[in-house]
Amino acid sequence: MMILALIFFFFCIFSNSLPFFTTLSSAADTLSPNQKLTDGGATLVSAGEAFELGFFSPPNSNNRYVAVWFKNVQEITPIWVANKNSPVADSSGALTITAAGDIVISSNQSNTVWSSNSTLPEAKSPVLQLLDTGNLVVKTDNLNIYLWQSFDHPCDTLVPGMKLGWNLQTRQEWYLTSWKSLQDPSSGDYTYKLDSRGLPQIVLRRRTEVIYRSGPWDGVRFGDGPPMKANSVFNPTFVFNSTHVYYSFTNVDDSVISRFVVSQQDGSLQHQTWNQGLRQWFGIVILQGDTCDKYGYCGPDGLCDKNSRLACRCPDGFTPKLPADWNRMEWQGGCVRRTPLNCTIHQGFRKFSRLKLPDLSKFLVNRSKTSKVDCEAACLRNCECMAYAKTDVSGCVVWFGQLLDVRTYSEGGQDLYVRMAASDLGSSSNKKRTAVIASVTAGTGVLVLCLIGWFLIKKRSAQRSGRTPANQSQQLFVNSQSVVEEDLDLPFFDLLTISTSTGNFSFDNKIGEGGFGPVYRGRLPTGQEIAVKKLSKTSGQGLIEFKNEVVLISKLQHRNLVRLLGCCIHEEERMLIYEYMPNRSLDLFIFNQTKGTSLDWSKRFDIIVGIARGLLYLHRDSRLRIIHRDLKVSNILLDGEMNPKISDFGLARQFRGDQSEENTNRILGTYGYMSPEYAIDGLFSVKSDVFSFGVLVLEIVSSKRNRGFNHPDHELNLLGHAWKLWNEGNPMTLVDALMERPLPTFEVLRCIQMALLCVQQRPEDRPTIANVILMLDNENSNLPPPKQPGFYSERHPIENETSSSDFSLRKHLFTSNEVTISTLHGR
Ligand SMILES: *[C@@H]1O[C@H](CO)[C@@H](O)[C@H](O)[C@H]1NC(C)=O
Ligand SMILES: *[C@@H]1O[C@H](CO)[C@@H](O)[C@H](O)[C@H]1NC(C)=O
Ligand SMILES: *[C@@H]1O[C@H](CO)[C@@H](O)[C@H](O)[C@H]1NC(C)=O
Ligand SMILES: *[C@@H]1O[C@H](CO)[C@@H](O)[C@H](O)[C@H]1NC(C)=O
Ligand SMILES: *[C@@H]1O[C@H](CO)[C@@H](O)[C@H](O)[C@H]1NC(C)=O
Ligand SMILES: *[C@@H]1O[C@H](CO)[C@@H](O)[C@H](O)[C@H]1NC(C)=O
Ligand SMILES: CC(=O)N[C@H]1CO[C@H](CO)[C@@H](O)[C@@H]1O
């Protein structure tokens, strides 16, 4: 035995000194020049077991790639792929490192598929090592100097320690590139690069076209991004000195697995954390989340303001370049100065606050001009100068030519001083108007930028650190304030927190009964008020609708949409947690004779406009195209300032591509609001929502319900009644008699006419919601005469199911004062 062991020992030593490879057979974190890592063999595992390197295939692909992935994430999630553009077609691949320090992937012994080209003359006995940060490095045995490192060659993922930016001395750039598809890690169309000219900013491109930019770094943040301060998940860092400019981050808790990743689909950058308990990535969309983030959306010199009635407007002193286009909501032409600048005449500057500063196409940065006065003088001296900004990091920045891609933010942002002819300054520089431009109401949907996000539950680390679930939810809740989520990447609340906050779902806290179950009011330990929609187990809302609603709402952010804060799933229980709306729903106001009087016309008009804007966002401006399908007065909630918020997206259906109409055999909706083509044929389109919107407007104007409408003189419903009054030349009699007089008759009539256009029988006759907004906005446009409305004579279709239409009702879900119907369409 002894002799055998000795022979074996010597054999080992001897064979190691031979120039042929030994195949790596057990997990190690290093690979030496005489070793080989083969496909299907052992992998490299970092010392702390955080990362693993080996061969893998993306889902539905047979190509083999060498990649570094998270060791503790069950589904292989690569952070770096070596041969992403040159896969090995079969399983014959092998990874080696040459004696000169070059990493080589070869297939079937001979062909070099990929090489790191890291050959350096001074590389003496190099070693390939996978570090616990996920960095794959080539180093010499004794020195901790990296001859090569994978962190210098990022793919689509940024993990703590990686950089996005530049080494200005070596001109080494670190940037992210999306995968081509889920199956194909080769370089896709989207890149995130840090543009280091002037004020550094992060720019997303599709091929060469800029589609988003973060806005410049001003020393504290990018644009409106939450300040670059530490949050509960990670500490962002931004280095900007004479040799380096880059963004990076570190995890707060080392046990958390987190990453930034670029989506292959639309290039959006997400921060995600791995939830070990649920075995899912949870993420927060960070960049380019709303309309105004679309690059140059409002054209040159245009201003994108997502809280204005229309997304785009011209700053004070400017006017649309192509007014006709502008009226059609085609913004590309942008704006021009009302009075062209004349250098010889006195001029001044108008201040705009909370802006994303214009893109840097023609600009000048002067670091020595550190005072505002100097900067202003510098701008005045140059006839071509259009605007300036004074920033902490770069001193004075002046812009020449047109101002591109400017938007307002609800919070954050920077000040821009725009040069103006004195005449323009005098006429309209009264502080109020400037203030209107500059100020942005603290809308709901805020945010979205910058490399900051927050995350969700991490059961594992919570268990480790012994935190109680309640505390955790509380903390998560705080973090969820300014976050845009994607897919199911929502804060999860635990049942204990929710039941405590609602007094164990006590009757006293019940504030309503929706189509799918009761709604409770609650107060989280943080003091935040919430509305909890508890989905009854027997409700029509199955897991599908639940997911639908959660996924949809979590993707939508608009001040006229109710905000979903999170959800709670506990065994069979499913709950949605919304922001609480102090003034509850619109029906409580307009259908209550006592309360209704508190709603004067201007409030009602604002509500109508708000709903239209919310709907426009759903139909057109959100990244998804959404048809609500159950728009009704009780689904319009009111916040403390009586701003309307559309709620209940459970029935919303996501539209993809150019699909504009869909047939469904499952009709969901509410009688009285359903368009004929939908109720009868199951056809729904944006025009069925427009129909419901028309009904809603007539109800708001008249304070009467369409369903259950009663008139002594005829058998018509509210639509028929309004149509009759319109034809008799008497539409003002429709208006709620209790509403405060006098009324702006012109505006009221426009609303009624617009509503009648919306409820016309034929969908193609109805306006789109964009048209509706123009009608509401533009006093001078001529509205066409409305044609006969759909469903104008059927008063109570539900009470006589077979008389006027051919529904076959399967399920009625009765609620306190109205009915949400779920039918299986059978004809
Ligand atoms: C390598 O190539 C040879 C001939 O080119 C082939 O016979 C052999 O099967 C290949 N090995 C693998 C693992 O594909
Ligand atoms: C290494 O060099 C070869 C030949 O110049 C080139 O084709 C290849 O793309 C390089 N590899 C990397 C990873 O840059
Ligand atoms: C700039 O920052 C980098 C990273 O923190 C640092 O390594 C470098 O020394 C800094 N350069 C100067 C000139 O301060
Ligand atoms: C600028 O103003 C001066 C003085 O009013 C006038 O003479 C000149 O024509 C103007 N120039 C332009 C380009 O309008
Ligand atoms: C109408 O509002 C008043 C005042 O808030 C309330 O007392 C009353 O119960 C409401 N009526 C109905 C029918 O809801
Ligand atoms: C429904 O309508 C039909 C025909 O209009 C009538 O004969 C029938 O009695 C009605 N049914 C109910 C329940 O009212
Ligand atoms: C009209 C009305 O009732 N408005 C109320 C809406 O909610 C806020 C906050 O609770 C109240 O202050 C308003 O009076």
Side-chain angles (χ1 to χ4, degrees), residues 521 529 580-584 589 595 598-599 603 638-642:
R521 174 183 184 167
E529 285 201 290
Y580 177 70
M581 292 288 135
N583 289 320
R584 314 208 8 216
F589 284 88
K595 266 191 171 173
S598 65
L599 224 50
K603 269 267 164 300
L638 298 164
D639 70 6
E641 276 101 47
M642 300 295 282

Side-chain angles (χ1 to χ4, degrees), residues 382-438:
N382 188 325
C383 265
E384 303 293 308
C385 173
M386 289 294 143
Y388 76 88
K390 211 200 82 47
T391 65
D392 293 338
V393 279
S394 297
C396 175
V397 188
V398 297
W399 280 264
F400 306 103
Q402 288 167 321
L403 305 177
L404 296 176
D405 193 37
V406 186
R407 63 163 299 174
T408 61
Y409 289 125
S410 318
E411 49 190 80
Q414 292 141 334
D415 293 342
L416 180 72
Y417 297 86
V418 179
R419 190 177 196 172
M420 292 276 167
S423 56
D424 279 347
L425 273 178
S427 62
S428 53
S429 73
N430 67 64
K431 290 195 175 75
K432 188 166 169 241
R433 287 191 63 184
T434 316
V436 170
I437 286 210

Side-chain angles (χ1 to χ4, degrees), residues 693-708:
F693 174 76
V695 176
L696 225 151
V697 170
L698 291 175
E699 292 187 329
I700 294 173
V701 170
S702 65
S703 297
K704 303 240 166 33
R705 287 175 197 279
N706 184 34
R707 236 184 74 71

Side-chain angles (χ1 to χ4, degrees), residues 74-353:
Q74 282 74 17
E75 190 181 311
I76 288 185
T77 312
I79 62 160
W80 182 75
V81 181
N83 54 326
K84 63 177 191 167
N85 292 317
S86 38
V88 181
D90 57 24
S91 58
S92 69
L95 177 82
T96 51
I97 176 167
T98 66
D102 195 10
I103 311 169
V104 174
I105 299 172
S106 52
S107 69
N108 209 348
Q109 281 84 42
S110 54
N111 305 337
T112 296
V113 172
W114 177 88
S115 151
S116 66
N117 298 338
S118 53
T119 313
L120 291 168
E122 70 269 28
K124 290 199 180 91
S125 50
V127 179
L128 183 67
Q129 184 174 17
L130 180 61
L131 304 181
D132 237 1
T133 54
N135 198 3
L136 182 69
V137 302
V138 177
K139 61 183 198 182
T140 48
D141 267 347
N142 34 21
L143 288 174
N144 273 341
I145 295 171
Y146 305 147
L147 304 177
W148 180 93
Q149 54 179 324
S150 64
F151 275 14
D152 278 345
H153 308 275
C155 294
D156 69 337
T157 302
L158 209 61
V159 295
M162 290 180 81
K163 304 178 179 91
L164 181 67
W166 290 87
N167 178 335
L168 298 168
Q169 276 179 321
T170 62
R171 296 310 291 168
Q172 158 108 48
E173 183 178 13
W174 304 284
Y175 65 93
L176 299 176
T177 310
S178 67
W179 282 23
K180 201 155 242 151
S181 69
L182 277 177
Q183 290 80 45
D184 183 359
S186 66
S187 305
D189 288 342
Y190 297 98
T191 56
Y192 270 95
K193 296 190 175 189
L194 192 128
D195 181 353
S196 63
R197 303 168 308 140
L199 300 171
Q201 58 179 346
I202 290 169
V203 175
L204 166 64
R205 286 189 182 79
R206 189 196 294 118
R207 299 195 195 92
T208 53
E209 177 200 6
V210 174
I211 58 175
Y212 166 80
R213 63 188 186 99
S214 65
W217 169 255
D218 69 351
V220 184
R221 61 185 122 209
F222 290 102
D224 87 326
M228 303 284 278
K229 64 185 178 201
N231 56 69
S232 67
V233 187
F234 62 89
N235 289 317
T237 47
F238 191 75
V239 169
F240 184 31
N241 61 26
S242 57
T243 58
H244 290 78
V245 47
Y246 64 83
Y247 173 85
S248 181
F249 74 103
T250 55
N251 280 338
V252 170
D253 178 344
D254 286 343
S255 66
V256 171
I257 296 172
S258 90
R259 62 168 181 171
F260 278 101
V261 62
V262 185
S263 144
Q264 316 96 31
Q265 283 150 7
D266 59 5
S268 62
L269 187 62
Q270 249 195 37
H271 180 263
Q272 301 183 327
T273 48
W274 176 252
N275 184 312
Q276 191 64 26
L278 297 172
R279 305 207 161 190
Q280 272 183 3
W281 285 100
F282 285 98
I284 297 126
V285 170
I286 296 145
L287 298 175
Q288 85 276 359
D290 67 30
T291 314
C292 285
D293 274 333
K294 292 182 184 148
Y295 185 79
Y297 188 68
C298 296
D301 290 337
L303 183 60
C304 195
D305 177 355
K306 117 186 121 87
N307 289 309
S308 80
R309 190 176 289 176
L310 305 165
C312 294
R313 52 196 182 75
C314 289
D316 257 4
F318 288 76
T319 158
K321 183 171 185 198
L322 307 167
D325 280 3
W326 200 265
N327 283 343
R328 268 183 276 126
M329 306 178 72
E330 286 166 17
W331 316 112
Q332 295 314 311
C335 306
V336 289
R337 287 174 185 280
R338 205 163 268 150
T339 316
L341 284 182
N342 181 338
C343 261
T344 59
I345 299 179
H346 178 65
Q347 294 150 62
F349 288 88
R350 174 170 292 143
K351 177 179 176 182
F352 295 88
S353 299

Side-chain angles (χ1 to χ4, degrees), residues 604-630:
R604 289 184 201 223
F605 186 72
D606 287 348
I607 288 170
I608 291 170
V609 171
I611 299 168
R613 270 161 44 182
L615 210 51
L616 178 69
Y617 175 81
L618 290 179
H619 285 182
R620 219 193 58 171
D621 287 342
S622 62
R623 291 200 288 154
L624 320 154
R625 293 180 67 210
I626 308 281
I627 295 182
H628 186 289
R629 299 210 288 173
D630 199 16

Side-chain angles (χ1 to χ4, degrees), residues 392-698:
D392 293 338
V393 279
S394 297
C396 175
V397 188
V398 297
W399 280 264
F400 306 103
Q402 288 167 321
L403 305 177
L404 296 176
D405 193 37
V406 186
R407 63 163 299 174
T408 61
Y409 289 125
S410 318
E411 49 190 80
Q414 292 141 334
D415 293 342
L416 180 72
Y417 297 86
V418 179
R419 190 177 196 172
M420 292 276 167
S423 56
D424 279 347
L425 273 178
S427 62
S428 53
S429 73
N430 67 64
K431 290 195 175 75
K432 188 166 169 241
R433 287 191 63 184
T434 316
V436 170
I437 286 210
S439 85
V440 180
T441 35
T444 49
V446 192
L447 151 51
V448 177
L449 143 60
C450 202
L451 304 147
I452 291 201
W454 283 284
F455 91 132
L456 324 165
I457 298 190
K458 38 178 177 106
K459 271 192 185 145
R460 194 178 50 138
S461 71
Q463 281 157 3
R464 274 190 198 165
S465 61
R467 246 182 263 154
T468 70
N471 274 343
Q472 193 177 42
S473 276
Q474 184 176 343
Q475 183 196 2
L476 291 170
F477 182 77
V478 171
N479 295 336
S480 72
Q481 295 284 17
S482 50
V483 153
V484 177
E485 296 89 353
E486 178 128 308
D487 290 340
L488 278 169
D489 310 336
L490 264 182
F492 276 79
F493 293 82
D494 60 285
L495 186 63
L496 183 66
T497 309
I498 298 305
S499 71
T500 312
S501 74
T502 55
N504 211 4
F505 302 105
S506 74
F507 184 77
D508 288 346
N509 282 324
K510 189 164 155 180
I511 51 174
E513 181 80 43
F516 300 120
V519 183
Y520 296 89
R521 174 183 184 167
R523 189 184 285 275
L524 290 176
T526 54
Q528 172 83 28
E529 285 201 290
I530 52 169
V532 180
K533 182 168 155 187
K534 196 172 178 201
L535 307 168
S536 37
K537 285 171 212 157
T538 56
S539 79
Q541 187 159 21
L543 194 63
I544 295 168
E545 279 93 354
F546 179 72
K547 280 193 170 162
N548 200 8
E549 177 154 13
V550 171
V551 169
L552 286 177
I553 305 183
S554 66
K555 287 186 178 179
L556 304 174
Q557 291 277 312
H558 188 273
R559 66 187 308 235
N560 295 114
L561 301 185
V562 76
R563 206 164 125 227
L564 184 65
L565 300 175
C567 67
C568 171
I569 302 177
H570 184 86
E571 286 162 10
E572 291 292 284
E573 296 274 13
R574 292 193 287 271
M575 281 165 255
L576 294 172
I577 291 95
Y578 296 93
E579 57 181 338
Y580 177 70
M581 292 288 135
N583 289 320
R584 314 208 8 216
S585 59
L586 183 57
D587 54 333
L588 301 179
F589 284 88
I590 63 170
F591 299 144
N592 180 327
Q593 296 294 309
T594 349
K595 266 191 171 173
T597 51
S598 65
L599 224 50
D600 61 14
W601 172 255
S602 78
K603 269 267 164 300
R604 289 184 201 223
F605 186 72
D606 287 348
I607 288 170
I608 291 170
V609 171
I611 299 168
R613 270 161 44 182
L615 210 51
L616 178 69
Y617 175 81
L618 290 179
H619 285 182
R620 219 193 58 171
D621 287 342
S622 62
R623 291 200 288 154
L624 320 154
R625 293 180 67 210
I626 308 281
I627 295 182
H628 186 289
R629 299 210 288 173
D630 199 16
L631 206 58
K632 55 184 173 185
V633 177
S634 59
N635 275 344
I636 306 299
L637 306 185
L638 298 164
D639 70 6
E641 276 101 47
M642 300 295 282
N643 295 311
K645 310 228 176 198
I646 301 174
S647 76
D648 232 332
F649 295 85
L651 306 178
R653 174 71 68 98
Q654 184 176 335
F655 265 47
R656 289 180 195 284
D658 49 11
Q659 200 179 5
S660 61
E661 191 179 70
E662 191 166 290
N663 197 315
T664 179
N665 57 7
R666 190 149 185 238
I667 296 183
L668 299 158
T670 303
Y671 278 111
Y673 294 94
M674 276 196 253
S675 62
E677 76 277 7
Y678 177 37
I680 294 173
D681 296 324
L683 285 173
F684 66 89
S685 65
V686 287
K687 295 297 183 70
S688 11
D689 270 0
V690 166
F691 184 95
S692 311
F693 174 76
V695 176
L696 225 151
V697 170
L698 291 175

